[in-house]
Amino acid sequence: MRVLGVDPGLTRCGLGIVDARPGRATMVAVGVVRTPSDAEPGERLLYLEEQLTTWLERFQPERVAIERVFADVNVASVMTTAHASAIAILVAARAGLPIAFHTPTEVKAAVTGSGRADKAQVTSMVQRILGLAEPPRPADAADALALAVCHAWRGAAADRLQALATTQAGALPAISGRLSTSRAGGRS
Amino acid sequence: MRVLGVDPGLTRCGLGIVDARPGRATMVAVGVVRTPSDAEPGERLLYLEEQLTTWLERFQPERVAIERVFADVNVASVMTTAHASAIAILVAARAGLPIAFHTPTEVKAAVTGSGRADKAQVTSMVQRILGLAEPPRPADAADALALAVCHAWRGAAADRLQALATTQAGALPAISGRLSTSRAGGRS
């Protein structure tokens, strides 16, 4: 499953593409779309739309995971973050891709095992999970990769639970075996 | 000057088109774009984008005025409102139109003379200003018309102040005469 993770923002929008298979995830691409804060709001959104569209065309992800923005986190920046999020939703929907939202806590828990992990812990775990020789750069794109990993694992776990729910008893051992191969199985 | 006013929202997005000349404003069109709250976020944004694009093509406004969304007004709905606002900004920028933002207080003050006017007062004044036989319908689009009127008047007043600032003393009487023809002259 190839997932695009989007850490929305207008000054910086983190993008990370991950290929995930049970028990293994690899990085395909990582980057940050930046727009100057003194540019016109419309120009900033148009540029973000263009860049996101280019990423979808180039990397052909099958799903898009976007960090869920909360209104109470930071009143000053939350509106531009919400605007960037809207553009990501629009571009993904236009491409016909399934869109999911995950909270920062969900992402941290999925990647590090703790919803309270700090940024350094998330970056360190993303590096290990994706088998990178160095921490992902630009540094502010690590969250986008974490988001993609989170979504791939949670999605895979959900698919397995669905399979369990609709499976005859005779098939259970094999499915249990699959569950044990992924960390997400015990978390979702 | 033809202005599109946008009262952003995802469940209801009010749209109003007003033609404004000094001392006179007329309604060209009014409407509300509605999307069901149980639809996919992406589908809702795509539909809003399509409708806004259609309005711009059909009515050819020269400017777009969007109500400025505050993060602290209503935490529950502010994110979807911000998403709708982003789509309006994007579509207007794509069409190369100047975009302005006005707060609800600015709109109320421009239309009724009081920033604390209630919804009924705004609707009543919009009806009078635009010379409508009945209150604008749908009712929840009155704010979009008020926004368009506010922007036209404030923009006209700003243009006149600019003209005043760059004018020789000999031309002042004529410009003063123009100022007195518009209510906006005394407010901005």
Side-chain angles (χ1 to χ4, degrees):
Chain A
M1 182 199 306
R2 178 169 288 192
V3 180
L4 166 64
V6 180
D7 182 18
L10 214 41
T11 304
R12 289 185 300 276
C13 184
L15 303 178
I17 304 240
V18 166
D19 273 341
R21 291 183 296 281
R24 179 163 168 71
T26 54
M27 184 179 85
V28 177
V30 64
V32 174
V33 179
R34 299 172 202 272
T35 68
S37 57
D38 58 354
E40 288 288 328
E43 294 306 313
R44 302 177 78 184
L45 295 184
L46 279 174
Y47 182 72
L48 181 57
E49 179 194 33
E50 176 196 301
Q51 291 297 306
L52 280 165
T53 303
T54 300
W55 273 63
L56 293 192
E57 288 169 356
R58 184 177 303 167
F59 299 111
Q60 302 278 325
E62 297 151 82
R63 300 183 181 203
V64 177
I66 303 173
E67 187 169 298
R68 190 180 291 281
V69 180
F70 286 108
D72 56 350
V73 171
N74 181 338
V75 173
S77 70
V78 77
M79 299 315 295
T80 54
T81 305
H83 286 178
S85 182
I87 302 307
I89 296 168
L90 184 80
V91 170
R94 194 186 287 145
L97 298 176
I99 304 164
F101 301 92
H102 299 292
T103 65
T105 303
E106 287 170 348
V107 174
K108 289 172 186 174
V111 173
T112 72
S114 164
R116 297 182 174 186
D118 64 21
K119 202 166 182 65
Q121 288 174 298
V122 171
T123 300
S124 170
M125 277 306 296
V126 164
Q127 180 185 350
R128 283 178 55 183
I129 291 164
L130 297 175
L132 304 174
E134 295 184 0
R137 297 196 185 283
D140 47 10
D143 283 349
L145 290 171
L147 200 66
V149 168
C150 167
H151 180 66
W153 284 353
R154 288 173 65 97
D159 290 348
R160 281 192 296 274
L161 287 172
Q162 182 71 30
L164 268 174
T166 56
T167 295
Q168 304 299 320
L172 273 174
I175 291 168
S176 298
R178 279 176 59 208
L179 272 171
S180 66
T181 61
S182 164
R183 303 173 50 190
R187 288 218 174 81
S188 62
Chain B
M1 182 199 304
R2 179 168 287 192
V3 180
L4 166 64
V6 180
D7 182 19
L10 214 42
T11 304
R12 288 184 300 276
C13 183
L15 303 178
I17 304 242
V18 167
D19 272 342
R21 291 182 297 281
R24 181 160 167 70
T26 53
M27 184 179 85
V28 177
V30 64
V32 174
V33 179
R34 298 172 202 272
T35 67
S37 58
D38 59 352
E40 288 288 328
E43 294 305 312
R44 302 176 78 184
L45 295 182
L46 279 174
Y47 182 72
L48 181 57
E49 179 193 33
E50 176 197 300
Q51 291 297 304
L52 281 164
T53 303
T54 300
W55 272 63
L56 293 191
E57 287 170 357
R58 184 177 302 167
F59 299 111
Q60 301 278 325
E62 297 151 81
R63 298 182 184 206
V64 176
I66 303 173
E67 187 169 296
R68 190 181 290 281
V69 180
F70 287 109
D72 55 349
V73 172
N74 181 338
V75 173
S77 69
V78 76
M79 299 316 295
T80 55
T81 305
H83 286 178
S85 181
I87 301 307
I89 296 168
L90 184 80
V91 171
R94 195 185 287 147
L97 298 176
I99 304 164
F101 300 91
H102 299 292
T103 65
T105 303
E106 287 171 349
V107 174
K108 290 174 186 174
V111 174
T112 72
S114 163
R116 295 183 177 186
D118 63 21
K119 201 165 183 67
Q121 288 173 298
V122 171
T123 300
S124 170
M125 279 306 297
V126 165
Q127 181 185 351
R128 284 178 56 184
I129 292 164
L130 298 175
L132 305 174
E134 295 185 0
R137 295 193 185 286
D140 48 10
D143 283 349
L145 290 171
L147 199 67
V149 169
C150 166
H151 181 66
W153 284 353
R154 289 173 64 98
D159 290 348
R160 281 192 296 275
L161 286 172
Q162 181 71 30
L164 267 174
T166 58
T167 296
Q168 302 300 320
L172 274 175
I175 291 168
S176 298
R178 279 177 59 205
L179 271 172
S180 67
T181 61
S182 164
R183 302 175 50 192
R187 288 217 172 82
S188 64

